[in-house]
Amino acid sequence: MSGGTIYTETLVHSAPEQFVNEAPYQLIIVTLDGGGKITGRMASNDRVVIGDHVAFDHDRNGTPYFRKS
Amino acid sequence: MNVIKRMVDESLSDCNLEVVLGIGFLDFRLGRTWNFAHFSTAKFAKERYPDLCMRSVVVAGIGKTAFGALADRDLRSLAVEAGEKCLENAHAKNSQVEAFYLGNFAGPSFVGQNHLAPYVAGAMGITGVPATRFEAACASSGAAFYHAVMAVAAGIHDAVLVLGVEKMTSQTTPKVAEILAGAGDSTGEVRAGATFPALFAMIARRHMYQYGTTREMLAAVAVKNHANGAKNPQAHMRKVITMEQALNGKPIADPLTVYDCSLVSDGAAAVLVTTAERAEEFTNKPIRVLGISQISDYVALETKEDITRFDAVRTAARKAYAMAGLEPQHIDFAEVHDCFTIAEIIATEDLGFVEKGMGGRYVLDGKTALNGKRPINTSGGLKAKGHPVGATGVGQICDLVMQMRGEAGERQVDRARTGLAQNLGGSGATAVVTILGVQ
């Protein structure tokens, strides 16, 4: 998994119990360059909109984190 | 099996839909999967296989608690109140209930009680019958209703009590968000931090991107449904809101604010499902089930090709319309699953009331208002009436029936002969569409 294009996104203000300390965070669905879609998070405070290109940054607990590219 | 296969083949080529469904159900009981998609109408099969005909099904009684944050009420007392009101409304005794179907999403997580169907049925004095809980996220009681209609139609039972209940407000908001997120994919989107508002926020973003839907269009859903809810004495929030308020709510998951989200509520609703033939034992105002379908899809949002539509809803709608022999333009009014404002906009598109992408304009122009061409969510919807998730599907059926009987008080619409309910589970992995008609 190298990267892809933002298919949709949201900035989550009201988080579930286990993520309350991380809010607000941007949740994204990425259309991968190799095909298919995956749900992940932005790795930093970079904010993205639909159509932006992102690159895979790291994996944490099975969730892919992306950065702007 | 060969006999069944021959009957199915003959039925498919030239027969009555009711017979096809009846044979389909029999086939299903024999352990074969069966596709309900193909049928035509004719009478000969009904004459040839009278025992296999689906029976006409009606709703003969309704009962609901008020929806709200009901601190002094527990799950069982809410359920019993709705169930008893329903039996009273149908002039039925609990001994006449042949099966008890309970819709409940997360009783074990919200209140720590499992084995809920006999737990509630027993409290109503109903024992010695099949008592089963249905769980399909926010479509739990829609699914229970669908299966009750199937069981009555197929001749398995004559009277099924269907009850939906949820007790949510004893938990904190982050805990509620976490429990509700259990209706998503726990190994993907939920692990990444998705809540249901976040999933529908992503749907809204995409709808805005593809179709130019605006924040004002989303807000118009909230303003309309609050206006309707203010006229509903059983609604959770009886408060009119302005467009300005709706646009300036506290952000939950961009672009959705608190005014785009349905309420966290306690409540219960019940209906008695029986045959058209036996209806007069219970009521002089039976409401007929003209069409119904329940359809599944993948759970995770990322698996959908296009998240601006719900394919399960579109398929369920197509099948329900076909079963009823109706088209979208024949529907006078509807209760749709506005768990979030964007969901109502998409529902009007998926149900064929308006062209794809035009749902936002449709509500903004007032077409779905109480005095509009096709009133939607006259009860106030999940947005204002409240959304005790397990009660919502059956609650919608109660709301349709009240309008069709002319018992909707201040929010009564002029024309309510044919009504549709659309109940959605999760981000579209379960959909139930029901079409009711005045007999």
Side-chain angles (χ1 to χ4, degrees):
Chain A
M1 182 160 52
S2 57
T5 309
I6 298 293
Y7 174 71
T8 190
E9 52 75 28
T10 180
L11 189 65
V12 179
H13 300 272
S14 185
E17 199 156 76
Q18 69 270 39
F19 296 114
V20 165
N21 296 332
E22 297 174 32
Y25 51 84
Q26 194 165 25
L27 188 72
I28 55 178
I29 295 180
V30 178
T31 304
L32 297 169
D33 292 338
K37 293 205 253 327
I38 195 160
T39 309
R41 293 262 288 268
M42 289 306 290
S44 62
N45 285 330
D46 281 353
R47 297 285 183 242
V48 288
V49 297
I50 293 174
D52 282 353
H53 199 267
V54 291
F56 174 73
D57 192 89
H58 66 279
D59 179 292
R60 201 181 82 198
N61 301 329
T63 293
Y65 283 70
F66 293 84
R67 62 187 143 73
K68 246 179 159 171
S69 70
Chain B
M1 290 306 289
N2 287 337
V3 175
I4 297 292
K5 186 173 184 318
R6 184 176 58 78
M7 289 194 296
V8 171
D9 290 344
E10 289 179 15
S11 300
L12 285 175
S13 62
D14 186 15
C15 89
N16 187 296
L17 166 64
E18 291 177 353
V19 179
V20 177
L21 291 174
I23 294 171
F25 192 83
L26 185 68
D27 217 25
F28 169 73
R29 290 179 66 208
L30 292 170
R32 283 161 45 111
T33 55
W34 204 80
N35 188 342
F36 288 89
H38 311 287
F39 43 77
S40 59
T41 54
K43 284 184 179 166
F44 91 90
K46 201 166 190 171
E47 289 155 15
R48 191 178 302 181
Y49 313 118
D51 293 347
L52 292 174
C53 289
M54 293 274 279
R55 304 187 298 177
S56 289
V57 177
V58 301
V59 176
I62 57 172
K64 268 170 87 174
T65 67
F67 287 2
L70 311 170
D72 58 336
R73 300 292 301 276
D74 65 12
L75 181 148
R76 184 161 56 183
S77 83
L78 290 166
V80 168
E81 179 189 330
E84 287 181 347
K85 278 181 172 168
C86 175
L87 292 184
E88 189 185 333
N89 185 259
H91 311 284
K93 295 191 285 286
N94 57 7
S95 59
Q96 289 175 288
V97 173
E98 295 178 13
F100 179 80
Y101 291 180
L102 182 77
N104 173 265
F105 166 52
S109 304
F110 281 121
V111 302
Q113 177 67 52
N114 271 294
H115 215 172
L116 277 164
Y119 174 77
V120 170
M124 291 185 64
I126 297 170
T127 57
V129 299
T132 308
R133 171 183 168 211
F134 289 75
E135 191 275 301
C138 303
S140 292
S141 61
F145 180 73
Y146 169 82
H147 286 86
V149 170
M150 290 298 113
V152 171
I156 309 296
H157 301 299
D158 272 7
V160 180
L161 181 61
V162 189
L163 204 152
V165 64
E166 207 76 55
K167 171 69 190 177
M168 304 173 74
T169 65
S170 43
Q171 301 287 348
T172 62
T173 302
K175 186 68 185 170
V176 169
E178 187 182 306
I179 294 170
L180 291 175
D185 184 341
S186 61
T187 59
E189 58 200 15
V190 175
R191 192 159 57 183
T195 57
F196 266 88
L199 293 173
F200 279 84
M202 292 199 290
I203 290 169
R205 273 273 193 259
R206 192 71 202 180
H207 203 277
M208 291 166 134
Y209 176 81
Q210 287 182 208
Y211 301 108
T213 301
T214 64
R215 280 283 309 129
E216 286 73 16
M217 292 172 181
L218 299 178
V221 174
V223 171
K224 169 182 71 70
N225 289 353
H226 272 278
N228 293 348
K231 297 182 195 305
N232 180 355
Q234 288 190 306
H236 185 162
M237 202 162 278
R238 302 191 62 194
K239 188 179 78 171
V240 173
I241 61 166
T242 64
M243 177 62 93
E244 200 189 339
Q245 275 175 298
L247 286 171
N248 292 294
K250 180 184 151 209
I252 300 294
D254 296 342
L256 304 184
T257 76
V258 69
Y259 286 111
D260 291 294
C261 303
S262 56
L263 304 168
V264 172
S265 315
D266 307 324
V271 294
L272 186 71
V273 176
T274 185
T275 62
E277 204 169 274
R278 287 194 55 188
E280 64 183 27
E281 288 174 40
F282 302 107
T283 178
N284 56 8
K285 290 178 182 172
I287 301 297
R288 172 109 184 258
V289 180
L290 300 176
I292 188 165
S293 177
Q294 178 185 331
I295 296 294
S296 70
D297 196 357
Y298 298 110
V299 167
L301 193 60
E302 68 193 20
T303 56
K304 293 173 177 39
E305 182 194 332
D306 180 352
I307 64 172
T308 66
R309 61 170 203 256
F310 294 116
D311 287 338
V313 175
R314 295 164 85 88
T315 305
R318 182 167 48 78
K319 293 186 176 203
Y321 285 132
M323 187 173 174
L326 297 173
E327 303 278 338
Q329 68 264 25
H330 298 126
I331 303 299
D332 297 328
F333 73 112
E335 287 288 321
V336 308
H337 197 95
D338 59 324
C339 48
F340 299 94
T341 50
I342 185 64
E344 177 169 319
I345 287 172
I346 291 176
T348 57
E349 298 169 355
D350 286 342
L351 295 167
F353 296 158
V354 68
E355 226 175 288
K356 183 68 209 156
M358 297 303 287
R361 172 56 59 191
Y362 190 55
V363 60
L364 193 63
D365 287 350
K367 300 285 200 302
T368 58
L370 207 50
N371 59 358
K373 194 165 169 252
R374 181 181 287 118
I376 288 182
N377 285 332
T378 67
S379 66
L382 286 53
K383 179 71 203 78
K385 175 183 61 181
H387 184 28
V389 292
T392 285
V394 166
Q396 291 177 320
I397 302 297
C398 292
D399 291 321
L400 290 186
V401 169
M402 285 174 81
Q403 284 283 3
M404 299 173 100
R405 288 175 173 178
E407 296 171 356
E410 252 193 285
R411 63 189 190 285
Q412 182 67 47
V413 296
D414 293 337
R415 191 172 167 76
R417 292 193 61 78
T418 308
L420 180 149
Q422 173 250 359
N423 189 200
L424 190 73
S427 54
T430 296
V432 184
V433 173
T434 306
I435 300 170
L436 301 183
V438 174
Q439 283 216 307

